[in-house]
Amino acid sequence: MSEGSPQIRPVVASRPCATMDEVRAEIDRLDRLLVPLIAERLAYVAQAARHKPTRADVVVPWRIEEVVAKVRECAMAIGADADTIEQIWRSLMAISIDWEAWHFDRREARPSGR
């Protein structure tokens, strides 16, 4: 939880775990669900590189703030810590921007006509 945030009881609650092994198993289960979703998100980010005319268009500040607003709203709706969710998403978007830039650069490096 971010510093200064009040204790929030999420609507989406975790199940009580009796041991650290149970906690780790639940985190591993969630990671197995999250990885395919993040990979799918990155696949769309890679597609975005094909639709942008210049490398400068890879970073779209208004879109970053739009996404942050949406995830904060989503977090608040389920009772999660919106500040922490925002930090996670800003990190995810920074990595996504690098991923998109890499795809854009690969596209530009291809010889014409391919």
Side-chain angles (χ1 to χ4, degrees):
M1 204 175 288
S2 49
E3 192 175 317
S5 294
Q7 281 280 10
I8 297 173
R9 185 177 186 102
V11 173
V12 179
S14 57
R15 73 169 186 80
C17 296
T19 67
M20 193 62 198
D21 286 342
E22 286 182 41
V23 170
R24 289 180 177 135
E26 289 302 315
I27 290 171
D28 291 346
R29 178 185 64 80
L30 291 170
D31 288 347
R32 286 189 300 275
L33 295 171
L34 289 168
V35 168
L37 293 172
I38 292 168
E40 182 179 1
R41 187 183 195 285
L42 288 173
Y44 284 111
V45 168
Q47 283 189 49
R50 294 196 316 250
H51 297 283
K52 296 191 177 171
T54 70
R55 194 175 198 282
D57 293 317
V58 169
V59 180
V60 183
W62 68 263
R63 177 61 178 150
I64 292 168
E65 297 311 314
E66 179 180 72
V67 171
V68 166
K70 287 178 183 184
V71 298
R72 286 185 64 84
E73 182 179 315
C74 182
M76 288 185 280
I78 65 167
D81 180 33
D83 292 340
T84 300
I85 297 296
E86 178 179 341
Q87 289 176 346
I88 292 166
W89 247 260
R90 285 191 185 278
S91 295
L92 175 60
M93 287 187 294
I95 292 164
S96 297
I97 288 165
D98 290 344
W99 180 249
E100 184 178 340
W102 183 82
H103 281 275
F104 185 90
D105 293 344
R106 278 188 54 204
R107 178 192 87 185
E108 290 300 301
R110 290 189 182 127
S112 297
R114 286 183 87 181

